[in-house]
Amino acid sequence: MVETKMHKKVAKLWLPDQPGAWVMALFPAIGGIVVGGISWRNVWLAVAWTLCYCFQFSAARWLAVRSHEAKDARKTAEKAKDHSSLSGSPTGHIPQRSSASKKRHSNVYFVPAAVYLIATAIVGIPVLVSAPKLLWWIPAYAVLAVLSFVAAWLRRERTLWGNAVSVIAAGGMALIATSLGSRFFVAAAPHESFASRLSPTGLHPSVTSQYFLGSPLLPKAGAVAAIAFILTEYASVVFVKTMFRKYGNSDYYALSIIYHAILAALSFAAPAMLQNFAGFTAARGVMAATLLWGIAATVLLLIAIFAPHHKRMKAMQVGGIEAFTSLMNLVVIVVALA
């Protein structure tokens, strides 16, 4: 029994413990692999992204606890100052044991964060060497990482803007994984210079656009997939809030309904608007994509309308709904674009 508890404690320390977060983090990358065509590069990228997600989770927990410690330290210093001014005694008489204990507690998150950071770098380097064009994405993901860590420090990870940062980062992996797929990736010739390999507009024979949008770095199908994942995953974020933290909050319920209604309207209209953009006619057809996306978005809207009126659900029940809708979104996005 002691061993089992110890294993659970270690697993909780090293692995994110939210199944819904795992799904939201990894499904866009899986979708990108299918849409772009499976290759060792996008599969390897998915492994690196999984390690990166674990790093972000551990680092965010470490920052959140450190932030709490800093707040406690300020309060302790203020109390010590007040005590000193009132009694004339030195500030050292105020016990510091609790703060030190919390500091030791926060340090347990530092080791997993450091290990995952090193592992992400080791796994990610071969992909960068093989596809230097990925360097173009570093500034965007650096900004997202900073915003994510700021949210953790401020303990705002679960706010709408904090969740948006995570959803955008995960959704963007659909585009990057697509660009590394067999349908779009252009392998460099041995004689090519690094500058040539870094250029985002080198073209695959199947790609006709001479512009940045439509290039191997930014394939149109990948861009559509990324936007679709971002919009549907954020719908899940808003819905889950109406079931837990904001349960019974009329403002959040109204926000959820409005968001899902707009998403449904876009889902019905998008395929026709994108007919000559992402290859719908060459794939499943405009009508099929309209039905797939429109019906899926309508299902999301109906769940958003009626589920919050049900008696308060357990986490397992809401998680089941979230898993079903996430899998549904993955399937309809991939079928329409692959």
Side-chain angles (χ1 to χ4, degrees):
M1 185 178 293
V2 173
E3 265 188 47
T4 302
K5 288 182 178 179
M6 182 62 68
H7 290 158
K8 287 182 178 179
K9 187 176 181 180
V10 171
K12 189 175 181 180
L13 179 64
W14 283 84
L15 296 174
D17 56 354
Q18 300 172 344
W22 274 105
V23 167
M24 293 179 71
L26 299 183
F27 270 18
I30 294 172
I33 291 173
V34 179
V35 171
I38 189 169
S39 72
W40 76 265
R41 290 179 180 86
N42 55 21
V43 172
W44 199 263
L45 176 76
V47 174
W49 173 246
T50 302
L51 293 170
C52 182
Y53 167 61
C54 291
F55 159 68
Q56 188 279 335
F57 182 83
S58 299
R61 287 201 294 183
W62 178 72
L63 284 169
V65 176
R66 292 293 291 170
S67 171
H68 187 72
E69 290 169 358
K71 185 178 179 181
D72 281 353
R74 287 194 298 270
K75 288 182 178 180
T76 301
E78 289 172 1
K79 287 180 180 179
K81 184 178 180 181
D82 292 341
H83 180 79
S84 178
S85 62
L86 289 174
S87 65
S89 63
T91 57
H93 289 184
I94 301 297
Q96 301 293 326
R97 187 173 180 179
S98 176
S99 177
S101 175
K102 287 182 178 179
K103 187 173 182 179
R104 286 195 298 272
H105 177 67
S106 74
N107 286 340
V108 300
Y109 297 115
F110 180 80
V111 173
V115 170
Y116 280 128
L117 178 60
I118 294 169
T120 301
I122 292 172
V123 173
I125 285 174
V127 185
L128 285 175
V129 171
S130 169
K133 292 180 179 68
L134 292 179
L135 293 171
W136 285 91
W137 292 110
I138 288 180
Y141 273 82
V143 171
L144 291 171
V146 169
L147 290 174
S148 172
F149 294 142
V150 168
W153 181 263
L154 298 176
R155 304 180 75 84
R156 295 290 185 271
E157 309 100 307
R158 298 182 185 276
T159 60
L160 289 174
W161 73 267
N163 287 136
V165 171
S166 300
V167 167
I168 291 170
M173 293 307 298
L175 172 55
I176 300 174
T178 299
S179 72
L180 294 178
S182 57
R183 290 177 58 193
F184 301 102
F185 184 77
V186 182
H191 64 274
E192 283 190 75
S193 66
F194 179 78
S196 176
R197 295 171 64 193
L198 187 62
S199 170
T201 55
L203 296 177
H204 189 283
S206 66
V207 182
T208 58
S209 173
Q210 297 294 323
Y211 300 99
F212 188 75
L213 181 59
S215 69
L217 179 69
L218 198 66
K220 292 178 179 180
V224 174
I227 293 171
F229 275 113
I230 290 169
L231 292 177
T232 54
E233 288 198 345
Y234 201 68
S236 179
V237 166
V238 178
F239 164 70
V240 170
K241 287 188 183 299
T242 65
M243 301 301 293
F244 288 124
R245 290 173 176 267
K246 301 298 179 180
Y247 180 78
N249 185 312
S250 58
D251 291 338
Y252 265 81
Y253 178 71
L255 172 65
S256 177
I257 300 306
I258 292 170
Y259 184 92
H260 282 82
I262 293 173
L263 179 62
L266 287 174
S267 297
F268 277 108
M273 293 189 295
L274 297 172
Q275 182 173 354
N276 298 316
F277 178 79
F280 280 105
T281 53
R284 299 290 177 176
V286 175
M287 183 59 68
T290 301
L291 289 174
L292 281 171
W293 287 12
I295 292 173
T298 300
V299 171
L300 296 179
L301 176 60
L302 292 174
I303 292 174
I305 291 172
F306 294 109
H309 289 296
H310 191 275
K311 65 179 181 179
R312 195 156 193 169
M313 296 183 184
K314 296 180 180 179
M316 187 67 72
Q317 293 173 305
V318 177
I321 294 173
E322 191 179 10
F324 164 75
T325 56
S326 296
L327 182 60
M328 175 185 67
N329 292 329
L330 172 65
V331 170
V332 299
I333 291 171
V334 165
V335 169
L337 292 170

